[in-house]
Amino acid sequence: MQKFIVRGGRRLCGELTLQGSKNSALPIMAAAALCDGDCVLKNCPELTDIYAASRILNCIGCKCRYSANTAVITASELTTTAIPASLMQEMRSSIIFLGAVLGKAGECTVCLPGGCELGPRPIDMHLAGMRKMGADISDYGGNIVCRAHGRLHGAKISLPFPSVGATENLILSAVNADGETVINNAAREPEIADLCGFLRACGADIAGGGESSIVIRGVERLHGCEYTVMPDRIAGATYLAMAAAAGGEIILTNACVQGMEPFLSVLEQTGCSIYSSEDRIYLRCGSRLKALSDRVRTMPHPGFPTDAQAVLMAALTTAEGTSVFEENIFDCRYRHTDALVKMGADIQVMGKIAVVKGVNRLHGAKIEATDLRGGAAMAAAALGADGITEISGISHIDRGYERLEEAVSILGGDIKRV
Ligand code: EPU
């Protein structure tokens, strides 16, 4: 089992080019299954979740070749519409293939991705929307069987909550449906806009991707295209939080500056100097961080992103004063706090609230990553801590960060994979 060994206490300095976005690349790969002809996806990050998506594409009869951050996907008639449980369980976002396969083949069978690490992740909104578009959906012993009886039809769907996954799945179901679909209260995350950008490049008729109302007029066919996946705003937030935790002066290039604004505006209040231009972000952190006077409330975009909650918390464990977090998106997203406490942090969790009293220093410890962003937070804390931290369970981190140890080393951090 691989581990990260982090020697803390070095300031981070230098320039880093950000990886492509995992949460954008995954639905775009599913969308490529809908196209006739080759889709060439550039800036596709090299991650275990991307390999899992490639395996699903190959299993359903599309050809996916991946090298040097480029995925080439050749879709044809699907050879199966049932995605095996073993592939569904490799990653939670496998559920995004449901909309694509149902939209293309008129049927799809999946099982729910198993044992959740962030708390329950139901798909009721995905299924309710698909039912409105004419799908019959039944549950046979844990398998969800969806049938469209021909083509899905357009529908007016109002989501009770702007779910990212439900919005993506419904867009994928609607692009080839008969007539117009309107999704109200849609998720506005930049990754939704990127998925719509890709689909438009393939010939889809979509208005409003990235806004709370999305209108999709079904088209007969989609064609292949070449598309560059947007930069990863959460990886960007992570490297900035690492520099805030360890101190230093870094520049991120290929950054999604506008999409990162909700994070940047909060990070700036901790006393870091942040300047951004079109696709570059400069951060300098020369002194101890200040705790945040306002509560950090995670919210759907453009609110503060839940995916950046853990890494910001890691940086604030040694800030001057007390910061308060409120996690509103997932039930179990404070699993990193035990490890931070083991490193000397003072954190009290009460339901959705976490109170972080800044301590002077953290110290190294043997800790285990239990989820992707929590694992990244542990690495951030370790970079600012005294002594050596050993982080096990790093397969969680590899799901979303392209060779994290190389990226951190480029910035001068001392982190090794063993
Ligand atoms: N929800 C329901 N019913 C549904 C769908 C969602 O109750 O039918 C609830 C969920 O249980 C959760 C909340 O709504 O409490 C938000 O879920 P959402 O559907 O928005 O999240 P997701 O699509 O499962 C994506 C990202 C997550 C990110 C969230 C929120 C991908 C592959 N995953 O998940 O990313 O945290 O949106 O922004 O895009 C990560 O990258 O580490 C990660 C977890």
Side-chain angles (χ1 to χ4, degrees), residues 18-39:
L18 277 179
Q19 66 182 65
S21 163
K22 165 180 85 79
N23 290 349
S24 189
L26 292 172
I28 289 178
M29 288 175 81
L34 291 164
C35 302
D36 294 331
D38 283 1
C39 290

Side-chain angles (χ1 to χ4, degrees), residues 22-23 120-125 163-165 307 329 333 373:
K22 165 180 85 79
N23 290 349
R121 288 175 86 172
I123 55 162
D124 52 313
M125 292 183 227
S163 153
V164 173
D307 292 342
I329 307 296
R333 222 171 187 184
R373 308 302 173 189

Side-chain angles (χ1 to χ4, degrees), residues 14-252:
E15 187 171 311
L16 178 69
T17 303
L18 277 179
Q19 66 182 65
S21 163
K22 165 180 85 79
N23 290 349
S24 189
L26 292 172
I28 289 178
M29 288 175 81
L34 291 164
C35 302
D36 294 331
D38 283 1
C39 290
V40 179
L41 305 182
K42 298 194 159 165
N43 203 31
C44 199
E46 206 177 315
L47 304 169
T48 49
D49 271 10
I50 297 294
Y51 301 147
S54 307
R55 279 192 287 277
I56 294 178
L57 283 167
N58 287 325
C59 165
I60 59 177
C62 304
K63 228 183 265 150
C64 178
R65 287 154 288 152
Y66 180 86
S67 73
N69 291 111
T70 300
V72 181
I73 298 159
T74 311
S76 49
E77 287 304 303
L78 302 185
T79 51
T80 177
T81 57
I83 305 176
S86 55
L87 290 179
M88 284 301 293
Q89 278 158 2
E90 277 193 36
M91 63 167 175
R92 267 164 253 301
S93 36
S94 51
I95 199 66
I96 218 65
F97 282 84
L98 173 61
V101 173
L102 178 65
K104 177 157 181 146
E107 58 176 40
C108 183
T109 302
V110 292
C111 69
L112 282 178
C116 268
E117 65 198 21
L118 306 177
R121 288 175 86 172
I123 55 162
D124 52 313
M125 292 183 227
H126 306 227
L127 301 183
M130 289 170 188
R131 277 198 181 99
K132 273 201 125 175
M133 297 174 71
D136 273 345
I137 302 178
S138 37
D139 184 342
Y140 289 112
N143 276 335
I144 300 164
V145 182
C146 305
R147 283 212 180 86
H149 307 293
R151 233 170 131 189
L152 291 170
H153 56 73
K156 197 164 180 181
I157 300 163
S158 291
L159 294 177
F161 177 86
S163 153
V164 173
T167 302
E168 291 167 346
N169 244 335
L170 295 173
I171 292 170
L172 294 175
S173 304
V175 278
N176 288 133
D178 195 9
E180 183 179 281
T181 300
V182 179
I183 308 173
N184 287 322
N185 199 25
R188 288 183 282 166
E189 269 66 6
E191 292 76 16
I192 305 276
D194 208 31
L195 170 64
C196 293
F198 166 78
L199 285 166
R200 271 196 294 268
C202 297
D205 183 350
I206 305 179
E211 293 165 29
S212 59
S213 187
I214 303 177
V215 180
I216 306 139
R217 288 180 203 91
V219 296
E220 289 285 334
R221 312 174 73 79
L222 295 176
H223 51 76
C225 75
E226 190 176 304
Y227 194 76
T228 301
V229 173
M230 66 176 278
D232 196 311
R233 64 194 170 99
I234 305 302
T238 301
Y239 296 118
L240 292 175
M242 285 177 170
E249 190 170 11
I250 68 167
I251 294 172
L252 299 180

